[in-house]
Amino acid sequence: MTAIERAERAAAADALCSAAYADCGGPDTGVALVAVGGYGRAELAPYSDLDVVLVHDDGVDLGALAEKIWYPLWDARANIDHSVRSVSEMVDAAGGDLRVALGLLDLRHLAGDPNLTLRVRTTMLAGWRRSARARLPDLHKMVETRHELMGELAHTSVPDLKEAAGGLRDATVLKALVATWLVDVSHVELERCRQSLLDIRDVLHTYAGRAADRIAPEAWEDLAPLLDLEDAAAVQVHVRELGRRITHLSRLTWRRVQAVLERPPKVSGVRRPSLTPVGRGIALASSEIVLDTRARPADDPLLLLRAAAAAAERDVVLAPATAARLVRECAPLPEPWPAEARRLLVLLLASGSGLLPVWETLDETGALDLILPEWERIRLLPHASAIHRFTVDRHVVETCIEASALIRNVARPDVLLVAALLHDIGKGGLTEHSVAGEPIARTVATRMGFPPDEAELIATLVRWHLMLSETATTRDPDDPATVALVASKLGTPEALSLLASLTEADAKAASAKAWSTWRAGLVRQLSRRTLAALVATAAGTSAPRIVEAELPVPAEVRADPAAVSITVEPNADGARVTLVSGDRVGLLADAAAMFAIQRTSVLAARAWVQERYGVSVWDVADDGLDPAVLRQRLAAIVDGRLDAGERLSRPQPARLEPSVVVRPEASQTATVLEVRMDDRPGVVHLVCAALARLDISVRSAHVSTLGPQAVDVFYMQETGAGALSDERAAAAAHGVREALSRTVTLPSRHRA
């Protein structure tokens, strides 16, 4: 699909509209049929609507002319979006609705009075330019609202070619901004990206057999041969690169619009922007960092980092022309970097929200190749996990932004920020990314001039950046084996402090779900226990036992252990439900069934035995739960009036076979069973019920849902005893695996 084919489709539509106007005797003066929007730009996709307006001079009576025009178009099976307006109504509509105003900027003559069309078009453009200063803030707000709703074309899992940030709608807005004469945009680059996106949309229409703007995950592979690209990955990179380029142009242009709006209008004459020096060789001009007249890029290898840090710190634009010139002319950084180069990099990474637009400019101009050539490994790389809202490269930048807010929590902010920059650098290969990233991080940190011990610390943080989150949510922090595992990998309180902050930044950058109140609490709890162990080891003493505050047992449960207490506390993530009753085999299974039958999504859970009582705390997505209803539901399950097993063991489609593994190394006092499978209602109930049938007690359970996968870990003990024997552990794993396998229907390629 090419621009020529789009023009041919537009020409065919023009002929159809012109014939309809002529056949119904449309007048030659005072009335005109015009195309607007995408049809006005002659950019019709295979299934695009024809946006047309029958415009007439004020006072002209059209009679039945409009209907006479529309009927033959309908008969020709054309999808038309039509309206009838007088000239004054056109002006009023454009003045009252920004969307209408933008569509009328592309008005094009089809039939009737060409002078009327020219007059309306001239009026629309003049009105747009005259009112631009007053209307652009509202337009910017409208654009930002759309971006928040639709996400970014470069990053969303189901990108919308038209409405997402960096899509065709943004390209149209950029053309409208240029039409104000207040700012300019790189026309060649914008048109290249815009035409390429139009080509992709044409192919998507043909593939879908209808008007379509969203690319579903299963469509990437099918679009590859239609776009003459190698595979699904190549299509994703192509689409996302175009989206990111338009997003960059859009952000840059809106920054420049803001700078123009903050200055008073010029009265007369040419005003040259003043240069305010902000560092050796660089200056601030019209809210952009540029080179000053004394700059000597060939003699100053730090000039690029200095310019980038200055722009990010001030949250202003790093002029793309400046960055491009530095790519061409700047002397290469010496290896290892001098201390000043590291300082400038840390200033750049610590700049918070100012980092993103500057980093995008460095990336788009090729300047990152001079600073971090390894960046190409993760550039536009999609995340495998659905929990991530961005591609890997953008996620890394967001992690640095989140880490910049945590630098006061650590003794070495520079190490934290560089580790945040490098934590996912190992992605994209066959090796587990934290393992692959460790030697890369060590090499990069050494090149940046970090001493060997600090380079090793950065490499350690990259190697274990997932450990705190994974361990806290899937292991019992009260178990000495859990603490010993974390302490053995880190070795020092300094490394633990840095890793705790990196874990928080990484999770917050992924998504809100990845750093819920529950998850954050578990990570901090594990960090406190590990810190106590590390300090004790350094002092040559035993680690003190940190006892978390026990939950008070309600009076009604103390009076009657068969009673059940359920409380619901709403929180930012939904609600926290606490259940207390006399401890018994099967209590946890019944509680899990209660939530599953209620169709309540469990985000995380923890259960333990306190004295002779069973306590479980559940974080759920529903903040409207009624404790009385939950108690009734649980009572019906316990009494047998509600058969939870029958309801929750029905087969359901699954992508992957359940994984059930015994982890003998994970605990000194219990046997740990780890279950991984598709997230679905009833998993915890099925596991606990299977164990209860074997008379195995669940001492504690740790439920974690991240994206489409649930990871549930159960600490098992013999009733009134300790860890299971090897035979009993094998029986437990077999029983759980059999219970879960009965509930899944696997695709043929997974069936044994």
Side-chain angles (χ1 to χ4, degrees):
M1 300 291 178
T2 65
I4 294 176
E5 291 173 287
R6 285 189 289 278
E8 289 174 348
R9 282 192 290 271
D14 290 356
L16 185 65
C17 291
S18 178
Y21 188 89
D23 290 347
C24 69
D28 294 331
T29 59
V31 182
L33 184 64
V34 298
V36 297
Y39 183 27
R41 294 187 296 274
E43 293 171 349
L44 290 180
Y47 292 92
S48 290
D49 290 344
L50 306 183
D51 293 331
V52 293
V53 179
L54 187 63
V55 61
H56 59 90
D57 276 322
D58 292 12
V60 172
D61 182 8
L62 294 182
L65 178 63
E67 289 186 5
K68 292 179 180 178
I69 295 174
W70 309 145
Y71 273 113
L73 296 179
W74 291 329
D75 290 341
R77 298 180 180 272
N79 296 320
I80 62 171
D81 186 351
H82 58 84
S83 61
V84 180
R85 287 194 176 110
S86 67
V87 174
S88 59
E89 287 172 340
M90 293 275 274
V91 173
D92 290 344
D97 190 325
L98 276 167
R99 293 178 179 82
V100 173
L102 293 176
L104 293 179
L105 292 178
D106 295 308
L107 184 146
R108 183 169 60 86
H109 183 72
L110 294 175
D113 187 348
N115 293 321
L116 176 60
T117 301
L118 179 61
R119 181 157 37 97
V120 172
R121 179 178 173 81
T122 302
T123 301
M124 293 298 111
L125 282 170
W128 177 245
R129 288 168 184 150
R130 187 170 54 251
S131 62
R133 282 180 171 271
R135 304 193 74 178
L136 289 185
D138 288 338
L139 178 58
H140 192 199
K141 186 179 298 183
M142 186 173 78
V143 168
E144 288 182 323
T145 300
R146 173 168 50 81
H147 289 177
E148 290 174 6
L149 179 65
M150 304 302 298
E152 296 185 35
L153 181 59
H155 303 289
T156 54
S157 58
V158 184
D160 190 304
L161 297 174
K162 185 176 182 180
E163 302 293 348
L168 291 167
R169 184 78 71 188
D170 275 354
T172 301
V173 169
L174 286 174
K175 289 166 70 70
L177 293 178
V178 171
T180 66
W181 292 350
L182 295 177
V183 292
D184 199 6
V185 179
S186 174
H187 176 76
V188 172
E189 190 63 18
L190 175 61
E191 276 304 293
R192 179 188 70 81
C193 295
R194 199 174 69 84
Q195 292 297 329
S196 294
L197 278 184
L198 288 170
D199 290 345
I200 296 167
R201 187 183 65 169
D202 289 354
V203 167
L204 183 61
H205 275 217
T206 302
Y207 165 75
R210 56 180 175 80
D213 295 313
R214 295 194 175 201
I215 304 179
E218 63 272 12
W220 295 111
E221 190 70 44
D222 295 333
L223 292 178
L226 300 176
L227 291 168
D228 198 24
L229 293 172
E230 183 177 352
D231 53 24
V235 179
Q236 284 212 47
V237 168
H238 180 52
V239 171
R240 298 185 189 285
E241 193 163 42
L242 292 169
R244 191 170 67 175
R245 182 59 180 153
I246 291 178
T247 298
H248 177 64
L249 290 172
S250 178
R251 287 185 178 135
L252 176 66
T253 304
W254 278 113
R255 286 289 191 99
R256 289 172 170 170
V257 166
Q258 188 63 33
V260 170
L261 295 180
E262 289 173 354
R263 296 196 304 265
K266 291 187 292 185
V267 177
S268 62
V270 178
R271 181 191 301 167
R272 295 185 180 277
S274 60
L275 295 179
T276 303
V278 294
R280 184 157 60 91
I282 57 174
L284 183 65
S286 300
S287 300
E288 298 191 20
I289 293 296
V290 298
L291 300 183
D292 67 17
T293 55
R294 299 167 297 169
R296 298 292 182 268
D299 301 327
D300 188 352
L302 305 190
L303 193 52
L304 175 60
L305 280 171
R306 192 179 304 119
E313 275 194 298
R314 292 164 176 78
D315 197 10
V316 297
V317 171
L318 172 61
T322 295
R325 179 184 169 189
L326 290 173
V327 170
R328 295 192 305 270
E329 301 179 15
C330 202
L333 284 162
E335 294 187 18
W337 290 10
E340 178 63 10
R342 291 196 304 279
R343 186 187 74 84
L344 290 170
L345 176 66
V346 171
L347 284 177
L348 171 63
L349 298 178
S351 57
S353 60
L355 173 64
L356 177 59
V358 172
W359 197 266
E360 286 181 339
T361 297
L362 294 173
D363 198 358
E364 292 294 333
T365 57
L368 279 184
D369 292 341
L370 305 182
I371 300 171
L372 185 63
E374 291 82 1
W375 188 256
E376 189 60 31
R377 292 176 55 95
I378 60 173
R379 192 172 189 271
L380 288 171
L381 181 67
H383 263 109
S385 170
I387 198 68
H388 283 85
R389 53 188 170 147
F390 298 119
T391 52
V392 175
D393 54 348
R394 173 65 179 278
H395 166 75
V396 166
V397 177
E398 294 290 337
T399 302
C400 291
I401 293 172
E402 295 290 349
S404 70
L406 304 174
I407 58 176
R408 288 181 175 81
N409 300 345
V410 298
R412 290 299 304 270
D414 56 340
V415 170
L416 172 63
L417 290 165
V418 172
L421 176 66
L422 300 175
H423 79 282
D424 275 350
I425 201 67
K427 286 196 169 178
L430 298 177
T431 306
E432 202 281 316
H433 78 276
S434 59
V435 175
E438 180 184 9
I440 300 173
R442 186 180 294 110
T443 299
V444 172
T446 301
R447 185 173 71 233
M448 289 178 174
F450 283 95
D453 58 332
E454 295 174 9
E456 193 60 38
L457 179 56
I458 291 170
T460 297
L461 294 174
V462 171
R463 172 64 183 90
W464 300 112
H465 72 272
L466 298 174
M467 180 174 61
L468 278 182
S469 181
E470 289 183 347
T471 305
T473 55
T474 62
R475 295 291 182 266
D476 186 354
D478 290 326
D479 196 314
T482 302
V483 174
L485 170 68
V486 177
S488 68
K489 303 301 184 185
L490 298 178
T492 66
E494 180 184 47
L496 174 64
S497 172
L498 288 163
L499 186 61
S501 291
L502 177 58
T503 300
E504 181 175 347
D506 185 18
K508 286 180 174 178
S511 70
K513 292 181 180 179
W515 194 246
S516 63
T517 304
W518 176 273
R519 192 174 297 273
L522 291 178
V523 169
R524 288 164 185 155
Q525 180 183 349
L526 177 59
S527 297
R528 287 197 303 271
R529 295 182 184 280
T530 306
L531 177 61
L534 288 170
V535 170
T537 300
T541 62
S542 299
R545 186 170 184 270
I546 299 176
V547 180
E548 303 290 335
E550 291 189 338
L551 292 177
V553 177
E556 66 268 25
V557 177
R558 286 194 178 277
D560 178 11
V564 178
S565 168
I566 298 179
T567 58
V568 178
E569 300 174 51
N571 58 33
D573 305 312
R576 175 164 289 181
V577 180
T578 303
L579 187 151
V580 183
S581 184
D583 184 42
R584 60 177 173 81
V585 173
L587 174 61
L588 193 62
D590 292 340
M594 172 188 71
F595 287 111
I597 292 175
Q598 194 74 12
R599 293 296 174 184
T600 297
S601 177
V602 175
L603 304 176
R606 186 163 180 247
W608 66 95
V609 177
Q610 181 176 305
E611 300 176 42
R612 57 196 179 96
Y613 304 101
V615 181
S616 57
V617 179
W618 308 74
D619 270 18
V620 299
D622 188 351
D623 61 357
L625 294 176
D626 185 340
V629 173
L630 293 179
R631 278 192 293 270
Q632 292 171 4
R633 185 81 71 183
L634 182 61
I637 293 170
V638 173
D639 296 343
R641 291 179 282 114
L642 188 58
D643 189 344
E646 192 278 331
R647 281 202 188 188
L648 300 176
S649 61
R650 296 168 183 167
Q652 299 180 51
R655 294 184 304 137
L656 298 172
E657 185 175 357
S659 169
V660 181
V661 181
V662 175
R663 301 290 186 190
E665 78 288 351
S667 175
Q668 298 173 357
T669 59
T671 300
V672 175
L673 188 74
E674 181 183 273
V675 176
R676 294 174 181 258
M677 67 179 298
D678 291 353
D679 181 32
R680 63 180 61 209
V683 173
V684 177
H685 164 74
L686 292 170
V687 173
C688 292
L691 296 176
R693 285 192 292 272
L694 295 170
D695 199 28
I696 294 173
S697 175
V698 177
R699 193 196 78 186
S700 70
H702 308 264
V703 178
S704 176
T705 301
L706 202 57
Q709 178 175 253
V711 181
D712 303 334
V713 175
F714 304 86
Y715 282 68
M716 307 179 297
Q717 289 181 331
E718 297 289 5
T719 304
L724 308 184
S725 66
D726 290 345
E727 292 78 10
R728 288 279 282 166
H734 176 74
V736 169
R737 192 177 295 112
E738 184 179 16
L740 295 178
S741 296
R742 286 197 301 265
T743 70
V744 298
T745 303
L746 295 170
S748 58
R749 64 179 180 277
H750 294 303
R751 292 179 185 148

